[in-house]
Structures are given as structure tokens and as C-alpha cells.
Amino acid sequence: MCGIAGLWGATPLGPIAATASLEAISHRGPDNQGHHAFKSASGKFLTMLFSRLSIIDLDHRADQPMRSGGIWLTLNGEIYNYREVREVLKSRGVRFRTASDTEVLLEGYREFGWAVLNMLEGMWAFALYDENSGRLSLCRDRFGEKPLYVTRSGADLAYASEVKALSTLAGSRLRPNRDHIKRFLVNGYKTLYKTEETFFHDVKELPRASLLHVDDDGTMRTESYWSPKLDIDEDMDFGRAVAGAKDRLCRSLELRLRADVPLAFSLSGGVDSSGFQQRHWTSSA
């Protein structure tokens, strides 16, 4: 778990607000904090903020914001298949300075553009800024596992991993959405995503599997980069279904166990947890 935040707009983010915003997400990443400020050719300002929890490549060379060829990136999340994508990029002549999954995403974007998202398996919320075009892009993973909130105040756009960081970026208190709070208290969790409303007025979550592009002239557009598809195998039988599910479950666990730090587990007893337990004890016997 890391934290990202930032402010784009006509006025720069002051040092006091930047410090307060970093403090608001500091618990998400105690290992390092970083920020970088930009001014585009048209006079727009952007400050990218990051709080890091080191999981892959613990060296400070992998701290963020990370830059390559005028492209800047802050990433909250993990690219599980980063080693495989890294090998693809290396075969195309890309050279790496770190062993991080963040650099794989960054160089993958430089090599393939947004088509790189089709190559990735993981969970993420990230901000990517192109100094050359002055475009800021925000992205959220396919199923919305990683949070990313946005709010607009006049011509400014603020984004953050947590709502409380938005108020420090915007410089004003957020107004509670009492109707949504009441709806939650009466009907529970299942009502949260019936609409686009959140617990605060004028605060939205970036939709899952979406990109929000903010051009240098202030034009904003949201696009979806993925939707689930169902491929039906008419020849599938029970044995093949069980074997296929087991193979995919084991492979997904192997990818998610990649880390440069010790790991601990809290197993819930669901299908994935039970499958992990069975595989672990079978391999240990």
C-alpha cells in the first residue's frame, strides 16, 4: 500500500499545503516520501506527491515520482507480472535502472503507449505526466481494487488515494453528503456503488478500468480501457474445468507472492485462501 496525490490547475500548490497533503497519506507509505512540481508551456501547474511502502526493489533508486524521458509516474499498487513484461521490454532494447515494477510500467508506457495496460496483471492507481505535451493521465485498475478520488474546484483538479488528502490539496473543507451517509446507514454496503456519489459532495471515484486525461488546455475526458468478455468453450468438461481453475489459481498466487520483504498471511477461509492452504501443505508434506 502506497499513497499518491496531486493538484493540477492554474495556481501552484504551496509548500504548506504540499506538506499537509503528504502527511495525510504518510501512513500509507512510511519508507519514503517524494514530490515534484511542474509548470507547463501554457502556464498550468502540477504537483505530484507520493508516499512509499517498499515491497519490490527497496533501494532509493526506485523512489517516486519516477522519471524517464520526460514522462513522470507515481504508482500505488503492484504489477504482479512485472518480470515477464520486463523481459519483453528488454528484448526490444529497453534498459532498466531499477528492479522495480514501477519502472516496468513507466518504460512499458514509453514503448507501447496505453496498449501496455493490456499486458499488465495487477492492481493499481497511478498518475502519469508527460512534460512534452503537458498532459496528466490518471488510471485505475480493471476492478477498482486501488482507490483514487478526484475533486474539482474551479479550474483546479485534485486527486488522491484518500479523501482526506483532497481537502488539503483544495485548501477547503469538504462538505459531507448526508443523503449518501443516510443511505449507507439504512441499507449497508451494497448501496455504496449504486450511484457515483461518495460520502462528500463534489468528490468522485475514478471508475474502475478507466483513464482520465487532462490536457494542457484544461480539456478533460474519461475513457474505459477494458471490459470483461466471456469466451464459451463448448467442449469444456468437469475435469478440464477443475484442472484449469487450479492451474490459474496457483499461478495467480505465485505472482502475488513476489516481494523483496517478508510476507505474512491472514486467510479468510474463502476459495482462494483455502486453495492456497491446500497447495502450501501439499507442497510442504
Side-chain angles (χ1 to χ4, degrees):
M1 181 175 67
C2 298
I4 66 172
L7 180 68
W8 178 96
T11 56
L13 183 67
I16 295 177
T19 299
S21 300
L22 282 172
E23 178 62 28
I25 58 173
S26 61
H27 62 285
R28 300 183 65 90
D31 297 319
N32 182 263
Q33 289 192 323
H35 68 279
H36 198 85
F38 308 87
K39 183 178 181 180
S40 70
S42 69
K44 295 297 192 302
F45 295 91
L46 169 67
T47 299
M48 302 177 78
L49 308 167
F50 182 74
S51 187
R52 184 185 184 195
L53 177 65
S54 301
I55 301 294
I56 297 174
D57 192 348
L58 311 184
D59 194 278
H60 285 297
R61 66 188 178 183
D63 289 343
Q64 303 176 42
M66 185 178 288
R67 177 193 181 189
S68 179
I71 308 297
W72 292 78
L73 176 68
T74 54
L75 165 68
N76 168 32
E78 187 174 348
I79 309 301
Y80 299 130
N81 64 333
Y82 74 100
R83 294 178 184 173
E84 290 76 11
V85 178
R86 180 189 180 97
E87 290 305 312
V88 172
L89 292 169
K90 288 175 68 175
S91 71
R92 297 172 67 92
V94 177
R95 295 185 177 184
F96 290 87
R97 298 174 289 107
T98 78
S100 69
D101 56 339
T102 303
E103 189 178 20
V104 170
L105 172 57
L106 183 56
E107 295 298 344
Y109 171 79
R110 293 190 63 206
E111 187 72 14
F112 298 110
W114 292 117
V116 71
L117 297 176
N118 298 324
M119 304 170 62
L120 305 180
E121 181 176 349
M123 55 178 179
W124 63 77
F126 67 77
L128 184 144
Y129 181 66
D130 187 337
E131 282 189 285
N132 303 310
S133 65
R135 173 183 288 178
L136 169 68
S137 296
L138 305 177
C139 181
R140 199 170 178 208
D141 61 64
R142 295 179 181 89
F143 293 98
E145 292 182 70
K146 287 298 182 180
L148 188 58
Y149 297 91
V150 297
T151 186
R152 296 188 64 176
S153 177
D156 295 342
L157 173 77
Y159 64 88
S161 297
E162 295 191 16
V163 172
K164 61 184 178 182
L166 293 179
S167 61
T168 61
L169 291 166
S172 60
R173 292 179 61 87
L174 300 173
R175 295 185 300 115
N177 184 340
R178 299 184 184 278
D179 289 339
H180 198 57
I181 294 172
K182 292 176 183 177
R183 190 178 302 121
F184 169 69
L185 292 175
V186 171
N187 297 307
Y189 177 83
K190 63 182 181 181
T191 66
L192 290 183
Y193 298 101
K194 295 294 185 181
T195 70
E196 294 184 354
E197 291 183 81
T198 67
F199 290 123
F200 296 90
H201 289 290
D202 303 320
V203 172
K204 303 293 184 184
E205 281 192 86
L206 185 69
R208 63 166 185 83
S210 292
L211 281 158
L212 170 61
H213 301 293
V214 186
D215 291 330
D216 195 26
D217 62 2
T219 301
M220 299 185 188
R221 60 186 177 88
T222 303
E223 63 173 307
S224 175
Y225 64 83
W226 178 85
S227 60
K229 296 180 180 179
L230 177 62
D231 294 323
I232 300 177
D233 185 350
E234 300 292 348
D235 297 324
M236 179 67 69
D237 57 29
F238 181 76
R240 289 179 59 200
V242 171
K246 181 179 179 180
D247 178 68
R248 287 163 175 78
L249 175 61
C250 291
R251 178 55 178 163
S252 67
L253 284 168
E254 289 171 354
L255 291 177
R256 284 154 180 78
L257 289 175
R258 290 174 172 174
D260 296 330
V261 294
L263 295 175
F265 296 93
S266 177
L267 302 180
S268 66
V271 173
D272 52 349
S273 300
S274 300
F276 172 78
Q277 287 175 305
Q278 181 182 21
R279 179 175 183 272
H280 174 73
W281 291 116
T282 301
S283 62
S284 300

